[in-house]
Amino acid sequence: MPNAREIMFGISAGLFPRSPTAAAIGRRRLLSESSFSIPWWYNNKSGLRLKAMASISTDVEKPRKPWLFVGLGNPGKRYSGTRHNVGFELIDYIAEAEGISTGSISFKSAFGKGFIGDVPVMLAKPQTFMNASGESVGALVSYYKIPLDQVLVMFDDIDLPFAKLRLLPKGGHGGHNGMRSIITHLKGSRDFPRLRIGIGRPPGKMDAASFVLRPFNREEREELDFTFQNGLEAVRILVQQDFNRSATFVNSAKSLHTL
């Protein structure tokens, strides 16, 4: 008496008869696929093994390193609004425009984290006083492992005309004590970008130390605010595009009185 499998096979053959030729082709195809085309998941030596599908990427995108923007100045009301503190003021301008709080303290800096577009940034204003700025900047760079080409330092420069900006990829300290300190604490490296903010030369025979601690008058303040707008646009271009485009923008930007 036929068993259940033989009965089912007979029913299937009756419903779907196959010609001898088709049956032969089917046997050859089955033999070919099973004998000579080894599946990707089979290993002859160790048997079955797990393997990620080729169509699915297993690469994990590395997180972006943040930019560190450092503005130089001196802490305290005595120095607020003076020429030597334009680096602080530009950081404040960027922070307000991008909604980044710098209310915390980290490594002797007023400090904040946020984004410009989708790019992570950190803003810092060293509270060490100008001549020791490197103590804070060196510690921040070391702790967060920031590449030096992503450390932008903003500071006052008496050798630039008032309210003029200049973006450079690297350079020396130019006699600026804050920059001198930073270079020292970065193990002598000068290979980090800097945004120089012109404050002009001292009038008459006034010495530079007294001049940099003078506040701005109303006309100067109006022009400086326009310069800060350009500075904000420069850092946006820098982090979202590249250094060269930002430098082209900065170094060709017109002042308020030449518009």
Side-chain angles (χ1 to χ4, degrees):
M1 182 175 178
N3 58 31
R5 181 179 178 185
E6 291 171 336
I7 293 171
M8 291 302 298
F9 181 79
I11 294 172
S12 175
L15 292 175
F16 306 102
R18 300 181 68 190
S19 68
T21 303
I25 293 173
R27 285 194 298 272
R28 285 197 299 270
R29 181 178 298 167
L30 180 60
L31 179 63
S32 174
E33 291 176 353
S34 61
S35 301
F36 302 104
S37 180
I38 300 174
W40 58 266
W41 42 260
Y42 188 79
N43 185 315
N44 284 332
K45 293 182 179 180
S46 59
L48 294 179
R49 63 187 174 118
L50 296 176
K51 180 177 179 181
M53 292 179 66
S55 60
I56 300 177
S57 174
T58 58
D59 293 336
V60 178
E61 184 178 351
K62 293 182 179 179
R64 288 184 179 183
K65 288 287 186 181
W67 279 83
L68 174 62
F69 295 150
V70 179
L72 301 188
N74 287 309
K77 292 183 178 180
R78 175 186 175 187
Y79 302 101
S80 179
T82 63
R83 297 169 190 273
H84 216 25
N85 273 35
V86 291
F88 274 12
E89 291 196 40
L90 182 50
I91 288 291
D92 290 339
Y93 194 94
I94 295 169
E96 183 177 358
E98 300 296 340
I100 302 172
S101 171
T102 56
S104 63
I105 297 294
S106 180
F107 296 101
K108 301 180 182 180
S109 273
F111 183 77
K113 296 180 182 180
F115 291 85
I116 294 180
D118 62 348
V119 180
V121 299
M122 298 187 295
L123 308 180
K125 298 186 296 181
Q127 302 296 293
T128 55
F129 287 91
M130 182 69 80
N131 293 359
S133 298
E135 294 178 14
S136 173
V137 176
L140 287 168
V141 169
S142 176
Y143 181 80
Y144 289 104
K145 296 179 173 56
I146 303 172
L148 289 188
D149 62 359
Q150 288 184 212
V151 179
L152 176 66
V153 182
M154 311 169 190
F155 63 98
D156 59 296
D157 193 330
I158 63 174
D159 292 325
L160 276 182
F162 178 75
K164 180 70 175 177
L165 296 176
R166 185 71 70 209
L167 180 62
L168 299 171
K170 58 184 178 179
H173 54 70
H176 193 285
N177 288 332
M179 290 296 288
R180 191 195 309 272
S181 175
I182 290 173
I183 290 171
T184 297
H185 283 83
L186 294 180
K187 301 178 181 179
S189 177
R190 304 179 178 190
D191 297 334
F192 57 92
R194 66 279 317 275
L195 182 61
R196 298 161 55 195
I197 308 167
I199 60 172
R201 298 291 303 180
K205 296 182 179 180
M206 179 182 291
D207 67 281
S210 299
F211 176 69
V212 297
L213 297 180
R214 288 182 62 181
F216 300 104
N217 60 39
R218 183 170 14 175
E219 182 180 348
E220 288 173 331
R221 174 58 63 186
E222 181 181 352
E223 187 166 2
L224 193 62
D225 287 343
F226 180 81
T227 297
F228 288 161
Q229 292 179 29
N230 286 337
L232 171 62
E233 185 61 24
V235 299
R236 285 172 171 168
I237 296 171
L238 176 64
V239 302
Q240 295 179 309
Q241 297 185 44
D242 56 44
F243 179 89
N244 289 336
R245 286 184 176 88
S246 183
T248 298
F249 169 79
V250 169
N251 300 336
S252 62
K254 296 181 178 179
S255 67
L256 179 62
H257 297 303
T258 58
L259 293 178

